[in-house]
Amino acid sequence: MPRKTANDDPLAPLTLAVGQEDLLLDRAVQQVVAAARAADADTDVRDLTSDQLQPGTLAELTSPSLFAERKVVVVRDTQDLSADSVKDVKAYLGSPVEEITLVLLHAGGAKGKGLLDAARKAGAREVACPKMTKPADRLAFVRSEFRALGRSATPEASQTLVDAIGSDLRELASAVTQLAADVEGNIDEAVVGRYYTGRAEASSFTVADRAVEGRTAEALEALRWSLSTGVAPVLLTSALAQGVRAIGKLSSARGGRPADLARELGMPPWKIDRVRQQMRGWSPDGVATALRAVAAADAGVKGGGDDPEYALEKAVVAVATAARSRQGR
């Protein structure tokens, strides 16, 4: 969910939504509009792109009305505003108009930083909408979506959903909403699997799980299915690397309860149990061999080789073989 500042009144004169996650930016706008229309059903909403905010446009939109109507003015991609339009916005920040809520969307970063600083100095209510690039962030997002709907989902169910859907937050939010509407009671891994079987089977983490379990044929089948459904090769090498590293981390950790190991290794407790089951056939040499194979495949899929699919197949076979190194098979 978007992170907010202490000033969390959506009807504050100025809201600044910062980041590049489109879903979160849209939600920041929707929250302000909903609050404004709850206060006044006739609220006028003007939603502008940066090129639509020409010099003089903001003054026209915020000029006093005979009817003193409530208005929400949204300006998107403010980092791309012209210098003259930035001057207009800064001038408005110095004397905001009552009954008008201005919402500025900014990508963050150095471009247009002067306006960003001016809005913060003016006491803007700020909503952070960062791009969710890490799997852990998307997992936290899914959990928060279930909580927001008043529903309970197991950690495994949330992880399976992220594995199946991928990085698109809109699709993840839609999937959570569908599951919450369709499923009664607790939502577990089996339920998610039934809804998203094809996509879950095509996920990069399924390939990695089968490989680190030493199930060569199933891993190769999952790999070919993943590639045929458009999973990026770089995601597959990343998942393989994560799977092998988890084996290495847990095998070198001192024994203990899953909760204690989870804190030590930075893994959720349920994953500790899963990796413990997967690591039974592994030896230290096997982990080292598998990591070298995955690194070679990663170089291959990033331009170091002519055939990314062949590089991935070699890596999957190497990982699955290493998974049986302790048994000497």
Side-chain angles (χ1 to χ4, degrees), residues 18-20 79 106-114 116-117 120:
V18 184
Q20 299 179 41
Q79 72 278 357
H106 193 290
K111 188 177 182 182
K113 189 173 183 298
L116 198 61
D117 292 341
R120 286 168 172 160

Side-chain angles (χ1 to χ4, degrees), residues 276-297:
R276 270 179 169 164
Q277 295 174 354
Q278 293 172 334
M279 65 184 281
R280 290 170 183 164
W282 285 84
S283 68
D285 287 343
V287 171
T289 299
L291 284 174
R292 286 195 295 269
V294 174

Side-chain angles (χ1 to χ4, degrees), residues 164-321:
I165 300 297
S167 61
D168 191 312
L169 247 58
R170 292 187 190 279
E171 288 195 35
L172 283 169
S174 177
V176 169
T177 301
Q178 181 182 5
L179 286 165
D182 293 354
V183 179
E184 294 183 3
N186 196 36
I187 298 169
D188 59 19
E189 186 177 9
V191 169
V192 176
R194 286 198 299 273
Y195 269 75
Y196 299 98
T197 299
R199 298 180 74 162
E201 287 177 353
S203 79
S204 55
F205 290 100
T206 298
V207 178
D209 282 342
R210 297 297 85 79
V212 299
E213 290 161 4
R215 295 154 67 177
T216 309
E218 293 176 46
L220 287 172
E221 182 181 358
L223 172 66
R224 292 174 190 126
W225 180 252
S226 294
L227 292 170
S228 72
T229 55
V231 175
V234 69
L235 294 180
L236 290 157
T237 55
S238 175
L240 284 168
Q242 288 182 49
V244 177
R245 287 195 193 105
I247 297 287
K249 282 183 179 180
L250 192 56
S251 62
S252 61
R254 55 184 183 274
R257 297 177 304 166
D260 296 332
L261 286 170
R263 284 192 295 272
E264 180 184 341
L265 302 178
M267 297 181 192
W270 66 264
K271 189 170 183 179
I272 296 291
D273 291 333
R274 176 178 290 181
V275 176
R276 270 179 169 164
Q277 295 174 354
Q278 293 172 334
M279 65 184 281
R280 290 170 183 164
W282 285 84
S283 68
D285 287 343
V287 171
T289 299
L291 284 174
R292 286 195 295 269
V294 174
D298 190 55
V301 303
K302 291 178 178 175
D306 298 327
D307 190 341
E309 292 189 19
Y310 177 63
L312 280 166
E313 287 185 0
K314 281 182 63 179
V316 165
V317 171
V319 171
T321 301

Side-chain angles (χ1 to χ4, degrees), residues 2-240:
R3 296 191 305 275
K4 301 162 188 168
T5 56
N7 175 16
D8 196 25
D9 179 7
L11 292 181
L14 175 61
T15 286
L16 179 63
V18 184
Q20 299 179 41
E21 192 60 70
D22 290 340
L23 174 65
L24 302 184
L25 290 167
D26 285 345
R27 285 184 174 181
V29 172
Q30 290 162 8
Q31 185 187 32
V32 172
V33 171
R37 287 186 168 155
D40 181 354
D42 296 324
T43 294
D44 182 21
V45 178
R46 303 297 178 91
D47 195 328
L48 309 175
T49 58
S50 58
D51 59 343
Q52 290 175 321
L53 193 75
Q54 296 297 317
T57 302
L58 185 60
E60 180 183 339
L61 289 174
T62 57
S63 60
S65 166
L66 287 175
F67 305 102
E69 64 181 350
R70 181 177 290 278
K71 186 179 292 185
V72 175
V73 178
V74 181
V75 185
R76 297 179 182 269
D77 298 318
T78 55
Q79 72 278 357
D80 296 328
L81 288 173
S82 68
D84 288 338
S85 294
V86 169
K87 288 180 182 177
D88 285 356
V89 175
K90 286 182 176 180
Y92 176 82
L93 296 180
S95 55
V97 179
E98 192 175 354
E99 298 298 314
I100 291 181
T101 299
L102 179 63
V103 184
L104 303 178
L105 275 59
H106 193 290
K111 188 177 182 182
K113 189 173 183 298
L115 180 57
L116 198 61
D117 292 341
R120 286 168 172 160
K121 188 175 180 180
R125 164 186 178 260
E126 186 168 343
V127 182
C129 307
K131 198 74 176 174
M132 294 193 180
T133 57
K134 297 179 181 178
D137 292 337
R138 294 192 287 274
L139 181 59
F141 171 78
V142 166
R143 289 174 174 169
S144 70
E145 290 291 287
F146 278 120
R147 285 196 299 271
L149 295 172
R151 296 304 307 276
S152 175
T154 66
E156 295 88 348
S158 296
Q159 183 66 60
T160 299
L161 192 60
V162 172
D163 292 349
I165 300 297
S167 61
D168 191 312
L169 247 58
R170 292 187 190 279
E171 288 195 35
L172 283 169
S174 177
V176 169
T177 301
Q178 181 182 5
L179 286 165
D182 293 354
V183 179
E184 294 183 3
N186 196 36
I187 298 169
D188 59 19
E189 186 177 9
V191 169
V192 176
R194 286 198 299 273
Y195 269 75
Y196 299 98
T197 299
R199 298 180 74 162
E201 287 177 353
S203 79
S204 55
F205 290 100
T206 298
V207 178
D209 282 342
R210 297 297 85 79
V212 299
E213 290 161 4
R215 295 154 67 177
T216 309
E218 293 176 46
L220 287 172
E221 182 181 358
L223 172 66
R224 292 174 190 126
W225 180 252
S226 294
L227 292 170
S228 72
T229 55
V231 175
V234 69
L235 294 180
L236 290 157
T237 55
S238 175
L240 284 168

